[in-house]
Amino acid sequence: MKNLRIEQTNEMILDKFGMGIVEFLISQTHLASRLNSAKSETIKRNPGYSNGDIAKAYIGLLCLGKNKFAEIEPLRSDYDFRTFLKLERVPSPAVFEHRLDEAALSEEWKQIILEESLHLLRKAGAPINPVTIQGKSFIPVDVAMPFAFIGKEGYCLSFGQETSVSVRAAEQLAEGAFLWRLEAKEGSEIAAKLLDLHIDFVMKLQTDASTWVETARKHGTCSSEREGKNVYFGSVAETNTTAGAKKPAYYVFKLTETTIDKNGQILLIPEYEADVYMTTLDIPPEAVPRLYDEHRKVCKSLRREFMSDLGFKQLPSRNQKTNELALHFGIYAYNLLRFAGQGKARMKRIRETIRDLPKMVIKEVEAEE
């Protein structure tokens, strides 16, 4: 498939539009055929509804901003929904739930959905743009468990996968230096693997402030915010040896020491607060907290889009495994809509693309030689 370019035009185009765009993009991958060929012992064959049709119908539902199985019922009599998605029949809510309950008992569907979601981005030539840090470009991978997002565009890379799997997925989508930005709670194990793989990262550590007092006084620069409140800021380096190679890591700290509270009361025991970051980037220490704060904002925004714009604030099933499978379908729909919502000026929010989908069209043209 040729790279796709989505842009505005005043030209009259009568081709694929609305759900036809969703079907067209799904058809560029092997999602339906692979699910139809899946030989899961947990799924009992229902000749009336193929696995591929179940998948396309659910992705279509998600592309309308809905995820509840019961919400498919009004669409069963919707000619356009069935026709544009090229479905033989639109499944009932009961068939939907039963098939996903069966499929969720194994990992096969989830693996296929994630692989084909990334396949879609590769085939479509989805842009994965870098961020610039101190004059150097990095492809950002923002981890907010269980999600990992890639590029300034914020495509969803993985869902709870092992770090090595996510690294390979990122390398399939983009070339160049990567920068992983990690949440504090889940970051330590991931950071250890990234060190082994010599991949740059930045993360905030969970630490006891009192353990950094001596280091801060020895290596930090002290400034006074007011009487009785001093702030130490600085960094220390540590060399890690992995696979016979040495890679430095830097610990950036901001320690606040309070000996007099804001009311002027002298404290018998000083109070300490510390923000400590770990990174492999050799950059000025003051840039590291900004990098992490940017990561938090990005993750908060992307998670909000995924969960709210696709309707996942409330999960569709009482079965946890079925909900996990539904979220994997959500990743496919999210990436499809994220790609469809690209523009020259900015990337549209998912709900904007859902709103504009009926007005969007695709026209296939031959590439210029």
Side-chain angles (χ1 to χ4, degrees), residues 158-171:
S158 61
F159 182 90
Q161 266 60 48
E162 293 183 359
T163 304
S164 57
V165 175
S166 298
V167 168
R168 287 196 298 272
E171 291 173 344

Side-chain angles (χ1 to χ4, degrees), residues 51-111:
N51 292 340
D53 275 4
I54 294 287
K56 288 198 293 183
Y58 194 50
I59 292 170
L61 186 67
L62 290 168
C63 287
L64 295 174
K66 303 174 181 179
N67 75 355
K68 308 295 185 299
F69 303 134
E71 291 174 308
I72 197 68
E73 185 62 39
L75 299 174
R76 299 187 72 197
S77 58
D78 188 318
Y79 175 82
D80 288 344
F81 185 83
R82 176 174 61 82
T83 303
F84 289 137
L85 284 176
K86 298 182 180 179
L87 303 173
E88 291 187 18
R89 289 192 295 169
V90 179
S92 68
V95 170
F96 243 156
E97 186 167 12
H98 184 65
R99 185 68 61 87
L100 266 62
D101 282 345
E102 290 180 326
L105 294 175
S106 77
E107 296 295 310
E108 188 175 16
W109 275 41
K110 289 189 286 188
Q111 181 177 345

Side-chain angles (χ1 to χ4, degrees), residues 6 52 58 122 161 201 209 217 219 268 311 353 362:
I6 296 179
Y58 194 50
R122 292 196 301 273
Q161 266 60 48
F201 66 88
R217 288 175 174 168
H219 299 282
L268 293 176
T353 304
I362 283 181

